[in-house]
Amino acid sequence: MKLFVDTGDIEEVKKAASWGVIDGVTTNPTLIAKSGKGFKETVLAICDAVPGGDISAEVVATDYDTMLKEALEVSSWHEQVVVKVPLIEPGISLVKTLADKGIRTNVTLVFTVGQALLAAKAGATYISNFVGRVDDLTLDGMEAVRDTVNMVETYGYSSEVLVASVRHPLHVLEAIKAGGHVATMPLKVIEALFKHPLTDSGLERFLSDWNKAGLSIG
Ligand code: G3P
């Protein structure tokens, strides 16, 4: 599974990148606004922090012509940039146009397998199925992920299912069980993946016994 960090904060990106297990970064207009910095400077800094990683940068227009102009602009910034496009009618047309030009896309705000089918048929590189926002409605957000993975594999679409709106490590476990190709999540969720009390207590015991024996390496 590819692991992306979902943030516009370059310091968070640098921390996640330091572990050597991050495959990319997803941003969105809200995350960029929170960064307090310019869009292009933030995206370029993220590209530098995650060499070779796919960096999603979202268009903000909602009409085809302006979306296309924005998409060509952001994709020109860096070869790592993946154009993020909301699943609206002009957005699907844009994804098709960009796919025909060899420009990679991440279709976002996807909540149903029907929406995912449109994205896959348009040639989306990534399909971002949102989970947490559906769970917030006391519904099973992971259901559409399972159905989308099944759909992509059944019909042989090239799109990768990107599990998004991830709130906690259990979402990561469920995304793995669903066969999601990518999971994107806030830094705090990745940090939580490291944690287990038995790991902490086990290491404490190892080091205590080692030190009591007066041992050293070298
Ligand atoms: O950035 C896409 C998605 O991961 C955002 O999720 O629901 O935490 O805003 P959310």
Side-chain angles (χ1 to χ4, degrees):
M1 173 184 265
K2 292 179 185 175
L3 187 57
F4 289 4
V5 58
D6 197 33
T7 185
D9 183 321
I10 186 60
E11 295 310 316
E12 290 187 346
V13 172
K14 289 177 179 176
K15 180 173 185 182
S18 70
W19 298 320
V21 296
I22 297 300
D23 301 294
V25 179
T26 48
T27 72
N28 63 45
T30 300
L31 293 172
I32 295 297
K34 280 173 64 178
S35 76
K37 298 180 179 175
F39 188 19
K40 183 174 182 179
E41 74 172 287
T42 299
V43 169
L44 291 178
I46 292 173
C47 289
D48 289 345
V50 188
D54 283 350
I55 312 305
S56 290
E58 191 163 338
V59 297
V60 291
T62 53
D63 66 286
Y64 176 83
D65 290 342
T66 314
M67 292 174 89
L68 176 58
K69 182 180 176 185
E70 291 179 348
L72 296 175
E73 170 63 20
V74 299
S75 63
S76 74
W77 292 349
H78 199 289
E79 64 179 5
Q80 291 176 223
V81 169
V82 175
V83 180
K84 207 171 188 185
V85 181
L87 200 137
I88 56 176
E89 290 181 29
I92 289 298
S93 302
L94 175 66
V95 169
K96 183 69 173 71
T97 300
L98 296 176
D100 292 344
K101 292 176 178 288
I103 296 174
R104 294 176 301 147
T105 56
N106 176 0
V107 177
T108 190
L109 291 170
V110 174
F111 295 93
T112 69
V113 68
Q115 290 177 313
L117 174 63
L118 297 170
K121 289 185 68 66
T125 308
Y126 296 110
I127 300 170
S128 285
N129 283 85
F130 279 41
V131 175
R133 296 190 189 189
V134 176
D135 285 7
D136 292 344
L137 301 177
T138 322
L139 299 171
D140 178 8
M142 204 57 72
E143 182 180 7
V145 172
R146 291 189 290 269
D147 291 345
T148 300
V149 170
N150 180 52
M151 180 265 293
V152 164
E153 292 178 351
T154 298
Y155 298 104
Y157 292 123
S158 61
S159 302
E160 292 185 76
V161 180
L162 191 161
V163 184
S165 191
V166 168
R167 298 273 199 273
H168 44 67
L170 188 57
H171 275 158
V172 180
L173 171 62
E174 291 172 344
I176 292 167
K177 288 182 176 180
H181 303 99
V182 189
T184 194
M185 63 203 75
L187 180 67
K188 66 180 174 49
V189 176
I190 305 175
E191 290 172 326
L193 293 177
F194 282 93
K195 304 299 183 188
H196 195 291
L198 291 179
T199 302
D200 295 340
S201 60
L203 180 59
E204 185 177 345
R205 177 66 183 273
F206 285 162
L207 299 182
S208 172
D209 292 344
W210 176 268
N211 292 328
K212 283 177 186 170
L215 295 169
S216 65
I217 296 175

